[in-house]
Amino acid sequence: MSERAQFVTRLGAIAATVGSAVGLGNIWRFPYEAGVNGGGAFLLIYIGCVFLVGIPVIVSEFVIGRGTHKNVAGALKQLAPGTKWHWVSYMGIAASLMILSFYSVVCGWIVEYLFQAITGNLSGHSAGEYSAMFGGFVSHPWRPVLWTVLFLCINFWVLRRGIKRGIEKVSNFMMPILFLILLVFIVYALTLPGAADGLKFLFLPDFSQISPKVAIGAMGQAFFSLSIGLSCILTYASYFKDSDPLMRNATVVAVLDTLVALLSGIMIFPVVFSFGMQPEAGPKLVFEILPNIFQQLPGGYFWSVLFFLLLFFASITSTISMSEISISFFMEEHKMSRKKATSVNTGIALVFGSLCALSFGVLSDFTIFGKTLFDLFDYASSNIMLPLGGIFFAWFVGWYVDKRFLDDQLTNFGTSTVSVWRKPLMFCIRYFAPSVIIIIFLYGLGLFDALL
Ligand code: TRP
């Protein structure tokens, strides 16, 4: 056990975990989800879900990962020997590879836009030209594949360097810069005329907007954004030290992740409003609308390069975390070297990522259950596998694991005092979180469609 890698510093462990959580989910998905779901009302429910469902599931994954210092399959085999519980880990591993595949496609778009921004091609167009540019790029027969492949190579390079020299170092370097870039943007966005309208949209809840659909969208967003349900956070926790405080780390991760989502909203909505654009633009918001806005600002070149660099940093610290799930599994359960495990992970993602990258062009007619491969991977992993995994981890820690084991983890082997939050936390882990997740899950399967 002694030769197994760990994050070197407590801060490094937090930077890596926050790096996993903070990603496209915060900067790209959160603003457009909030935009299409009515702003303030969505935000309110989202924050409720982060604290009442998200933190309990994070703590559950932390307990399993840090308590065993193993990959997810090894951890479940150790905690539930002789049972079939470890089969759940195979679902998590499959889902992580699916998410990695379609997520890398969007990361590929980001690298393309970063490249275009640097070479100065992102300015001097009309609004219609930006739409045509994005549409032309995503449906191009090979360009999206090229950038997806390039992104996965960078991902490979970081992972190949291992936990300390790769993941921890990159996170320590990129996360502070990411916060800094966000702050620069916000200061700028807030000085724009009309910024107040953007802030009102985001922060003033219009309670008439609250509907089951908005509530469920907010819960799904919380899951995706916190990286929970797939054993991603579990795998990182297996590299924590026995002295790292789990409850505190869980709170820090949830608070920082939510903060970045809020900061992204504070950065994007004032800009959108002050230029008279619609917040409901959906997934295209970042790629079609923002470049057009940037070019109208003084120093537009600088802003667009900075923005896509920010997205790049946020996304790579997330893809390395998804990849680490299967890498740790291949290394420990199949006795592969780190190099070989990373190659297998990247190889799978290259094949499926390339197919997903073509889903908007050559393969747009290739559908399974009426969905392109990109949409199918997104739907099956986010709406089915994440909630199922979340229920499992909360249930497993709430009801199944040995009480002594749980106590040892929550108190760091008796070295820290029992927090006043312990009781409400256990209530959420045992009852509240699983029931709420079941509701999302049923919705994900479309069972409520008739009612909404
Ligand atoms: N949380 C990341 C984001 O917001 C994405 C992510 C990383 C993720 N690891 C995950 C999502 C595991 C689900 C499961 O972009």
Side-chain angles (χ1 to χ4, degrees):
M1 188 72 2
S2 62
E3 83 279 10
R4 196 174 189 275
Q6 287 193 332
F7 292 122
V8 185
T9 64
R10 193 177 274 190
L11 208 63
I14 291 183
T17 317
V18 172
S20 164
V22 170
L24 299 181
N26 307 61
I27 303 173
W28 167 69
R29 199 173 186 269
F30 171 80
Y32 86 70
E33 282 279 329
V36 296
N37 283 311
F42 173 88
L43 181 64
L44 205 66
I45 305 176
Y46 170 74
I47 291 180
C49 290
V50 166
F51 288 93
L52 296 175
V53 181
I55 290 185
V57 176
I58 297 179
V59 172
S60 306
E61 290 203 25
F62 273 2
V63 165
I64 302 173
R66 208 275 299 269
T68 56
H69 293 297
K70 287 195 168 131
N71 73 91
V72 55
L76 294 178
K77 281 181 197 161
Q78 176 182 325
L79 294 177
T83 68
K84 297 211 167 20
W85 283 117
H86 63 275
W87 286 20
V88 175
S89 57
Y90 305 129
M91 181 185 77
I93 292 161
S96 72
L97 290 165
M98 286 162 77
I99 295 194
L100 179 64
S101 300
F102 78 80
Y103 200 96
S104 303
V105 173
V106 183
C107 298
W109 298 348
I110 291 167
V111 185
E112 153 90 7
Y113 268 68
L114 180 60
F115 175 73
Q116 298 291 357
I118 292 173
T119 52
N121 287 335
L122 272 195
S123 57
H125 303 288
S126 67
E129 282 170 345
Y130 283 108
S131 299
M133 191 173 156
F134 183 63
F137 164 60
V138 297
S139 60
H140 194 273
W142 52 260
R143 263 185 36 220
V145 178
L146 180 79
W147 292 112
T148 304
V149 169
L150 180 76
F151 180 84
L152 282 168
C153 291
I154 305 173
N155 190 56
F156 175 86
W157 175 78
V158 176
L159 286 160
R160 173 71 189 81
R161 294 171 61 88
I163 306 304
K164 292 177 213 163
R165 287 172 53 238
I167 297 177
E168 185 170 353
K169 234 184 175 163
V170 165
S171 308
N172 276 340
F173 167 71
M174 289 187 175
M175 293 319 286
I177 300 188
L178 185 143
F179 270 96
L180 220 73
I181 300 182
L182 259 180
L183 287 179
V184 171
F185 262 105
I186 286 170
V187 169
Y188 187 79
L190 291 180
T191 60
L192 290 172
D197 289 334
L199 295 182
K200 264 191 218 144
F201 175 78
L202 183 62
F203 288 110
L204 272 189
D206 168 3
F207 289 101
S208 68
Q209 295 266 4
I210 294 187
S211 69
K213 188 164 169 288
V214 169
I216 285 154
M219 287 191 270
Q221 174 62 22
F223 253 75
F224 190 85
S225 190
L226 293 171
S227 307
I228 50 181
L230 277 195
S231 66
C232 188
I233 290 283
L234 183 158
T235 305
Y236 268 16
S238 74
Y239 304 122
F240 284 4
K241 295 201 173 92
D242 282 338
S243 54
D244 285 343
L246 295 189
M247 267 150 98
R248 189 173 333 144
N249 278 8
T251 315
V252 169
V253 170
V255 168
L256 287 183
D257 184 68
T258 310
L259 190 69
V260 173
L262 285 178
L263 292 179
S264 307
I266 297 177
M267 151 179 94
I268 287 176
F269 288 115
V271 181
V272 169
F273 273 79
S274 86
F275 281 85
M277 308 274 187
Q278 293 308 314
E280 298 97 358
K284 298 179 299 189
L285 190 72
V286 161
F287 293 99
E288 289 183 7
I289 293 190
L290 288 185
N292 186 23
I293 295 175
F294 290 144
Q295 70 159 348
Q296 301 174 39
L297 302 174
Y301 175 86
F302 171 74
W303 296 117
S304 54
V305 172
L306 206 61
F307 180 76
F308 287 103
L309 196 65
L310 167 77
L311 277 181
F312 174 74
F313 280 0
S315 53
I316 189 136
T317 47
S318 295
T319 52
I320 53 180
S321 73
M322 294 169 206
S323 308
E324 190 58 28
I325 303 175
S326 54
I327 292 174
S328 61
F329 170 75
F330 293 141
M331 281 172 68
E332 289 164 18
E333 303 299 306
H334 293 282
K335 308 284 169 256
M336 287 183 194
S337 65
R338 181 151 193 101
K339 187 171 167 198
K340 189 162 176 206
T342 312
S343 309
V344 174
N345 166 275
T346 305
I348 298 174
L350 279 175
V351 172
F352 289 101
S354 303
L355 292 174
C356 288
L358 293 172
S359 286
F360 299 85
V362 186
L363 292 180
S364 61
D365 291 330
F366 174 74
T367 54
I368 303 169
F369 303 121
K371 291 188 186 313
T372 61
L373 205 61
F374 182 100
D375 289 338
L376 181 75
F377 277 14
D378 183 5
Y379 182 88
S381 55
S382 312
N383 292 4
I384 301 177
M385 291 157 142
L386 282 190
L388 270 182
I391 297 176
F392 170 75
F393 290 127
W395 184 88
F396 190 76
V397 168
W399 300 96
Y400 191 89
V401 296
D402 179 55
K403 200 174 163 306
R404 273 273 305 282
F405 171 82
L406 181 63
D407 266 352
D408 283 347
Q409 289 309 312
L410 292 180
T411 61
N412 286 354
F413 300 93
T415 55
S416 63
T417 47
V418 178
S419 152
V420 286
W421 294 106
R422 169 93 180 254
K423 274 215 167 95
L425 179 81
M426 286 316 292
F427 173 81
C428 284
I429 291 182
R430 289 184 146 187
Y431 304 98
F432 190 78
S435 4
V436 171
I437 300 166
I438 284 173
I439 297 172
I440 311 176
F441 181 56
L442 294 179
Y443 175 77
L445 288 180
L447 294 186
F448 292 159
D449 283 359
L451 300 175
L452 298 180

